[in-house]
Every structure is written in structure tokens, then in C-alpha cells.
Amino acid sequence: DQQVKQNSPSLSVQEGRISILNCDYTNSMFDYFLWYKKYPAEGPTFLISISSIKDKNEDGRFTVFLNKSAKHLSLHIVPSQPGDSAVYFCAASGRGIQGAQKLVFGQGTRLTINP
Amino acid sequence: NAGVMQNPRHLVRRRGQEARLRCSPMKGHSHVYWYRQLPEEGLKFMVYLQKENIIDESGMPKERFSAEFPKEGPSILRIQQVVRGDSAAYFCASLAGPSSYEQYFGPGTRLTVT
């Protein structure tokens, strides 16, 4: 049962253009969403997050959009830079046992920025 | 990765041996999560611990796996009698407290079972 889905395993974008990574979820109990970036042989690095009470959050070149009715979120990176090449994971969180906020991850999208 | 430490970074075990993975959370963080990532997959939640307490172990296999977070020292994920299917990257994440959402991950331990 894949509650968080990233349907594009890979994405290739020209340097300087916009990168758009998509994520869908099925569980309406999720109340917080996060994006992580991961380089090979390293742990995921937190990028940006959004609460379910908002529809947009912006931090520098990164913007996350949330469409609750469609159970869809997206990460926009503009302008894209070569250092952005990595695997991006979407994650969702909901209060569980004793407030446990375990994250449910998508499968990841490998973003490649071409010079 | 924001100060979460894991060791060892790489661990090779033969089938049937025990694997011990250690995680020291960020300073001031008292909540630890363990996740496992199989090749070409996303991370899967295993267990959530606070100091001296297992809060949620719903993602842990019922047999051979255990975790602890003692009052002093790192959190430990123990896998007994390892099998080839245990080969994966194991990540630890820490959280400042129940009102926080952003989990900060360590570099991971890559376990290879031969």
C-alpha cells in the first residue's frame, strides 16, 4: 500500500530552467509534508516543508505547493543549478502512536540538471 | 547532515551473524527514528524511540530486529542472525521534540550480508 507516490523515477532539466517534481498521497490524515534531497552514499537532507493548512511555502529557489483536494504536492526549483542534481524524496507525516511523527516516503525522483 | 552521527558507515556480515548499528542524535534531541532503504526504493519507517522508551515499533520485523535508546549513549538497532534480505541502508533521524516535524538524518549505515 503505497500511501505516497512519486510517479516520475527521473527528470532531466536544463540548467537555469524550472524543475518541477510531483508527489501524490492517498491518506487524508497526513498533516505535514516535507521534501528531502539525497546524494549517493549520504543521508537525506531536509529541504522545505509545508503544513496542510497552507497551500504554498517558499524558501529561496525552492517553492512547495499543496493541493489538498487533489492530494497532490509539487516542488519547484528555479532556476535549476547543476548542484541540484540528486534524488528528491517527498515525505508525509501524521500524528500516530503517542504523537509519533513517522515519515512516509515516496520512491524518489532522480533529478539531473544538464549544463 | 545536521549533526546526527551513525556508525559504522559500512558493515559487512555473514549470514547468521549479528549486526549492531549505532546512532547519536543531534545535541538536545531526544527523539530517534530508524528507517531502512532497500535498493531503488524510498525509506521505510522501522521504529521510533525516546530515551529509554520504544514509542512505535510498527515498522519493525517481528523477529530478529530490536532497538533501544538508553538513558546514556547512542540508540542501537540490532539485527540478529542476519539474512541476505537485510542488506540495505539504515538511516537514523532525530527530532527536537513532539512539536517539531523536520527530522534530521544521519549519513546511514550500509549493511551488506554475504
Side-chain angles (χ1 to χ4, degrees), chain B residues 16-35:
Chain B
Q17 290 184 321
E18 178 179 284
R20 286 196 183 196
L21 290 63
R22 294 174 186 78
C23 167
S24 296
M26 284 181 67
K27 189 174 182 180
H29 286 195
S30 58
H31 299 242
V32 166
Y33 294 75
W34 285 93
Y35 294 83

Side-chain angles (χ1 to χ4, degrees), chain A residues 32 36 41 49 95 101 103, chain B residues 9 33 35 98 100 102-103:
Chain A
Y32 207 81
Y36 285 85
S49 60
R95 296 280 175 178
Q101 295 163 46
L103 298 179
Chain B
R9 294 292 307 274
Y33 294 75
Y35 294 83
S100 302
E102 289 82 12
Q103 295 183 19

Side-chain angles (χ1 to χ4, degrees), chain A residues 2 31-32 34 36-46 48-49 89 93-108 110, chain B residues 1 9-10 33 35 37 40-45 48 50 54-59 91 95 97-108 110:
Chain A
Q2 190 70 30
D31 60 2
Y32 207 81
L34 307 92
Y36 285 85
K37 173 181 179 180
K38 187 180 180 304
Y39 293 117
E42 294 185 12
T45 300
F46 169 72
I48 191 170
S49 60
F89 289 99
S93 175
R95 296 280 175 178
I97 300 170
Q98 292 189 37
Q101 295 163 46
K102 56 188 178 184
L103 298 179
V104 180
F105 282 84
Q107 308 95 305
R110 183 178 304 277
Chain B
N1 280 303
R9 294 292 307 274
H10 300 274
Y33 294 75
Y35 294 83
Q37 184 185 23
E40 304 304 320
E41 293 187 12
L43 284 72
K44 297 278 196 302
F45 166 79
Y48 163 48
Q50 295 176 16
I54 297 174
I55 305 301
D56 183 349
E57 55 183 346
S58 58
F91 293 98
L95 191 70
S99 62
S100 302
Y101 280 94
E102 289 82 12
Q103 295 183 19
Y104 293 92
F105 284 81
R110 273 139 195 91

